[in-house]
Amino acid sequence: MEVITTDIVIIGAGGAGLRAAITVAEQYPDLKIALISKVYPMRSHTVAAEGGAAAVTQDHDTLENHFHDTVSGGDWLCDQDTVQYFVEHAREELVQLEHWGCPWSRKSDGHVDVRAFGGMKIERTWFAADKSGFHILHTLFQTSLKYGSINRFDEYFTTDLIVEDGRCQGVVAIEIATGSMRLFVAKAVILATGGAGRVFRANTNGAIVTGDGMGMAYRAGVPLQDMEFVQYHPTCLAATGILMTEACRGEGGILVNKDGYRFLQDYGLGPVDPWPRNKAMELGPRDRLSQAIWHEQQKGRTIKTENGDVVNLDLRHLGAKKLQERLPFICELAKDFAGVDPVTTPIPVKPAVHYTMGGVKTDLTATTPLPGLYAVGECASNGLHGANRLGSNSLTELVVFGKQAGIYASEYAKNVAVTNQSAIEAQAEKYRQRIDSLLNRAEGNERISTIRKEMALTMEEGIGIYRTGDSMQATCNKLSELRERMKSAKLDDTSSVYNTELFLAIELEAMLETAASMAHSALNRKESRGSHQRLDGYENRDDVNYLKHSLAYYNADGDPKIEYADVCITTSQPAERVYGGAADDRGK
Amino acid sequence: MPDEQFEIDILRYRPETENEPVMQTYTIPYVRDWSVLDALNHIKDNLDGTLSYRWSCKMAVCGSCGMMVNGEPKLSCNTFLRDYHPGKITVEPLAHFPIERDLIINMDSFMEKLEKIKPYLIPTEEKPLADGEHLQSPDELMKYKQYSMCINCLLCYSACPEFGLEPDFLGPAALSLALRYNLDSRDNGQDQRTRIANTDKGVWPCMFVGSCSEVCPKHVNPASAIQQTKITSTIEWYKNVLMPRGSEAGGND
């Protein structure tokens, strides 16, 4: 097997991986970087983010406001040291993107404009119309081309981490174009592989969002933290799951049920007036809005369509001019994929899985419990989002903590040497055999697409917006069955060149493990908090027993082992989450 | 499942077993709302796992899924079966690029061209982060915004007859991105980029056929970008004749 020796391996070339790579290249020019991605960088799923990135910007806003919005939005499961670092460094990182050319939307005086977002007390979301992620990704990728020390390995699929002498010392990856495996020997490895939303049926995520990095770290013994917290975005196109950004509501859009009634006022988010106002009605947090839509459906007040029950996202009153200026992509998507012109017709929407709050356990330095391994972005859980992420915090997270990952991985890499190379190579050989046996399995009759669809369905049924012990147990059982059946999966394609079916199979193996970590973490959390809501006697938050992060540990022979760790609380003691009029009263 | 069927001819090429590409016909259910990508995914999931193609976002922004549909370059995710119904469709890899396998093309040449045109801000001087953002009026933003919308899907290269003849032509997307930075009020790198654009592989092969702009799914209008760059390049050429670069004060290299 060809061996590539480098200092730092970065897996994933989306917003977080690119920001990490640029940091290493700028601040540690002597370190060699291998930036490995299963797709060309500009295809990474950061590209699909629409609404914007949060940072305290206006004079009447404060870091304390952003801190409090994030911590209360996360239902107090956030690590407050991480949140503090985040709010303090958010603005400089968005300014850095501006200096690299990001075409942020501007006010008439030439300063960057900000818009309102859900759960945010003051407008602080920087945006590039409604393609903020696209512009951030292309700005970072194009900027990265300046640096000679970033060696890209585009369309290389990383399958496993190499752990030797108790630390991460490299990875193995398959060159997709040829099918040949390479061993990357490195002093430090940064995971920036994105989320795992594709384990659910209805989701906003691209095909590539399959939790590969989570799966790799998990199999290597690193715990996955807070995996039960999965965000349903309330406003997605019914047939395709395509995201209708929260910025639609930030710009003044409203949600109505089949009677044209703004139902959110019935769920602790009203009163309706004065409108618009922050942290009320349609500008509530995503978990509360998705839950409200679920209740409307139970009451029979949603609209039945061939693609399921929907509510209407009404933007008509914004007018054609504003829609074209602020939400042009939304108009295009609604027309192309739902046959609806938002200027004249409300958009039918329903909740779909959007974001995994959980991930590889890290801290505010992107450091994992495994020496030499760092993780950042949606694949990581550094305690920023707690039990529910606020919209526009995740794009900022990519750059704030992408930089941290670059710095901490570099400092580590400077001070270690690769040890036991022969054992590393032996491990790589073992991983190659695993892939070979998957590729050339003689016996077996399971189609991977069948297993994938059954997995996505059982996750939706058991680990949805509302959960019960029975439904979660059923999903855990189903996932065990699917994991067994995966051993009999047989590929149609046994070739080497661009064998995309092989990569679907490897992704599915990771997804089955990631899904199990979600389902078991959920089953074990006997309370309701943020995006984890139960209907079976655990409807309330339980700070006595569950003001804790869950940690799921891989178990090759069966169900994951679930442990718990303390949440870092500095200045904000847990309190009731309030929005709408109740929040206004509390503010007085 | 509806009863009506729909036929798709797909170009197959498996270099390990085939010397030449071949057409393969698949029969799928006709579903009015299906995109061509949905049809391909149906085939891969249910009929033939060996079919290979690139895709991800399924919302026309990642740029992965460009292919020829009935001879026209399209994003397969926002091209719908209903627009070809009744009838059949033929799906082939993007024209003018080497085929790696099935619908997957080799895009190395584009990646090199992108890097070549220096697609990043080249400011006069670095501004400290503590000084905040550069000021840029909405009008200044609008000057280049359109050219920043390129998703690198490469449909424009497939539509371009000149690229078909001259694979080294920098081509519509790379030249549009060069202009995107040249027109940015924060940039001072136009001189460097014009030197790259003003060559026989730069703007000059373009015959202004305009098909790049017609097929662009993001309305970037590369044809206009190239014509603007030709004008700049011509002015630069005259400036260099009248005032050779060696004598130019403040040359930016």
Side-chain angles (χ1 to χ4, degrees), chain B residues 80-226:
Chain B
F80 296 92
L81 298 190
R82 58 177 174 265
D83 295 327
Y84 298 88
H85 178 264
K88 62 193 282 188
I89 59 171
T90 302
V91 182
E92 298 162 283
L94 283 178
H96 305 328
F97 290 93
I99 305 172
E100 292 275 4
R101 165 170 178 175
D102 296 343
L103 301 171
I104 296 173
I105 52 119
N106 183 313
M107 53 185 279
D108 291 352
S109 64
F110 172 73
M111 298 305 282
E112 286 161 20
K113 288 167 189 173
L114 180 66
E115 189 161 353
K116 203 169 179 179
I117 55 99
K118 302 185 188 238
Y120 35 79
L121 281 187
I122 302 174
T124 313
E125 56 182 316
E126 292 291 339
K127 183 178 164 105
L129 289 181
D131 291 356
E133 78 264 43
H134 300 87
L135 296 185
Q136 185 168 65
S137 71
D139 285 346
E140 287 172 325
L141 171 64
M142 285 313 288
K143 275 192 184 140
Y144 71 88
K145 185 72 191 286
Q146 176 181 4
Y147 302 115
S148 74
M149 303 302 275
C150 171
I151 61 172
N152 302 177
C153 66
L154 311 183
L155 301 197
C156 54
Y157 285 82
S158 272
C160 173
E162 294 308 317
F163 176 63
L165 299 170
E166 175 49 84
D168 291 334
F169 173 37
L170 279 175
L175 287 165
S176 299
L177 282 162
L179 185 66
R180 170 254 176 276
Y181 284 99
N182 288 343
L183 293 178
D184 192 318
S185 58
R186 300 165 290 185
D187 181 74
N188 193 35
Q190 172 165 332
D191 204 35
Q192 296 181 44
R193 290 187 209 97
T194 301
R195 251 175 277 156
I196 299 155
N198 189 13
T199 64
D200 61 349
K201 302 289 190 283
V203 287
W204 299 111
C206 171
M207 305 300 282
F208 203 24
V209 174
S211 45
C212 52
S213 296
E214 282 168 28
V215 301
C216 177
K218 297 290 138 182
H219 315 294
V220 171
N221 200 355
S224 156
I226 294 173

Side-chain angles (χ1 to χ4, degrees), chain A residues 43 50 98-99 101 106 110-112 142 155 207 332 337 447 449 452 492-493 495-498 500, chain B residues 16 44-45 49 52 54 56 59 62-63 77 101 119-120 127 132-134 136 151-152 180-181 186 218:
Chain A
R43 315 307 188 203
E50 295 169 358
E98 194 280 333
H99 286 198
R106 303 284 178 154
H111 284 286
V112 169
Q142 291 170 8
E155 295 195 328
E332 192 181 305
F337 293 96
R447 278 193 86 72
S449 61
R452 190 177 68 234
D492 292 351
D493 193 344
S495 69
S496 301
V497 174
Y498 280 98
T500 50
Chain B
E16 292 154 271
K44 186 159 185 83
D45 284 352
S52 280
R54 293 186 177 110
S56 181
M59 54 190 280
C62 80
C77 72
R101 165 170 178 175
Y120 35 79
K127 183 178 164 105
E133 78 264 43
H134 300 87
Q136 185 168 65
I151 61 172
N152 302 177
R180 170 254 176 276
Y181 284 99
R186 300 165 290 185
K218 297 290 138 182

Side-chain angles (χ1 to χ4, degrees), chain A residues 402-475:
Chain A
K403 182 176 177 182
Q404 287 284 82
I407 291 170
Y408 281 87
S410 297
E411 288 296 328
Y412 181 84
K414 275 185 355 189
N415 294 308
V416 296
V418 170
T419 55
N420 217 349
Q421 175 113 5
S422 59
I424 290 172
E425 290 178 18
Q427 263 197 55
E429 195 52 45
K430 189 183 79 187
Y431 292 129
R432 176 160 67 183
Q433 284 163 16
R434 182 174 79 85
I435 301 300
D436 283 349
S437 67
L438 174 62
L439 189 59
N440 298 311
R441 191 169 284 155
E443 300 294 316
N445 52 5
E446 290 282 355
R447 278 193 86 72
I448 57 168
S449 61
T450 307
I451 296 175
R452 190 177 68 234
K453 282 170 189 166
E454 290 185 29
M455 170 194 71
L457 182 61
T458 192
M459 289 301 284
E460 186 166 295
E461 287 171 348
I463 318 296
I465 296 172
Y466 281 94
R467 305 162 176 184
T468 66
D470 288 346
S471 73
M472 290 185 283
Q473 185 63 57
T475 294

Side-chain angles (χ1 to χ4, degrees), chain A residues 129-443:
Chain A
D130 53 356
K131 283 195 180 171
S132 307
F134 163 80
H135 286 297
I136 288 172
L137 180 68
H138 281 251
T139 298
L140 284 168
F141 172 54
Q142 291 170 8
T143 298
S144 80
L145 297 173
K146 285 198 290 192
Y147 302 98
S149 64
I150 302 175
N151 294 302
R152 286 205 332 273
F153 294 85
D154 297 337
E155 295 195 328
Y156 277 67
F157 193 109
T158 308
T159 67
D160 290 279
L161 302 177
I162 304 275
V163 182
E164 189 59 49
D165 287 343
R167 59 195 176 91
C168 188
Q169 300 205 56
V171 305
V172 285
I174 301 170
E175 184 184 34
I176 295 175
T178 62
S180 62
M181 198 174 239
R182 308 280 160 78
L183 166 62
F184 291 80
V185 178
K187 295 168 185 164
V189 172
I190 301 173
L191 289 172
T193 50
R198 296 290 291 190
V199 302
F200 288 83
R201 185 169 66 160
N203 67 76
T204 66
N205 290 180
I208 59 177
V209 188
T210 50
D212 310 337
M214 293 179 191
M216 271 183 261
Y218 185 52
R219 287 198 308 276
V222 183
L224 299 182
Q225 175 173 280
D226 294 341
M227 291 301 285
E228 62 271 44
F229 298 102
V230 176
Q231 179 162 81
Y232 274 77
H233 195 293
T235 57
C236 311
L237 296 184
T240 56
I242 289 174
L243 177 67
M244 295 288 106
T245 172
E246 191 164 295
C248 294
R249 288 168 279 125
E251 297 292 346
I254 58 170
L255 284 170
V256 297
N257 66 14
K258 74 175 165 100
D259 305 316
Y261 173 71
R262 287 176 70 184
F263 57 90
L264 293 173
Q265 61 191 291
D266 296 352
Y267 301 95
L269 293 153
V272 169
D273 292 316
W275 178 254
R277 73 189 194 285
N278 293 330
K279 296 183 81 162
M281 291 297 291
E282 286 81 1
L283 290 176
R286 291 175 181 172
D287 56 341
R288 291 288 171 84
L289 266 61
S290 292
Q291 290 153 18
I293 294 171
W294 185 92
H295 283 290
E296 286 293 289
Q297 185 191 28
Q298 298 296 305
K299 293 173 187 167
R301 304 203 303 199
T302 46
I303 304 155
K304 298 222 174 299
T305 75
E306 60 185 16
N307 296 308
D309 292 356
V310 301
V311 294
N312 274 331
L313 173 62
D314 195 343
L315 307 179
R316 290 175 296 178
H317 53 289
L318 303 183
K321 184 169 177 290
K322 186 168 187 179
L323 285 172
Q324 205 42 55
E325 180 191 322
R326 297 295 188 104
L327 300 166
F329 191 35
I330 290 303
C331 293
E332 192 181 305
L333 290 169
K335 278 185 218 160
D336 286 356
F337 293 96
V340 165
D341 180 355
V343 175
T344 57
T345 314
I347 310 168
V349 292
K350 68 178 190 185
V353 165
H354 181 56
Y355 190 88
T356 40
M357 265 74 73
V360 179
K361 180 183 168 52
T362 61
D363 58 17
L364 63 88
T365 67
T367 305
T368 76
L370 175 63
L373 183 68
Y374 299 80
V376 63
E378 194 176 342
C379 76
S381 170
N382 63 10
L384 175 63
H385 306 305
N388 171 61
R389 174 174 75 80
L390 288 194
S392 74
N393 270 352
S394 69
L395 283 176
T396 307
E397 175 190 16
L398 301 180
V399 283
V400 168
F401 295 105
K403 182 176 177 182
Q404 287 284 82
I407 291 170
Y408 281 87
S410 297
E411 288 296 328
Y412 181 84
K414 275 185 355 189
N415 294 308
V416 296
V418 170
T419 55
N420 217 349
Q421 175 113 5
S422 59
I424 290 172
E425 290 178 18
Q427 263 197 55
E429 195 52 45
K430 189 183 79 187
Y431 292 129
R432 176 160 67 183
Q433 284 163 16
R434 182 174 79 85
I435 301 300
D436 283 349
S437 67
L438 174 62
L439 189 59
N440 298 311
R441 191 169 284 155
E443 300 294 316

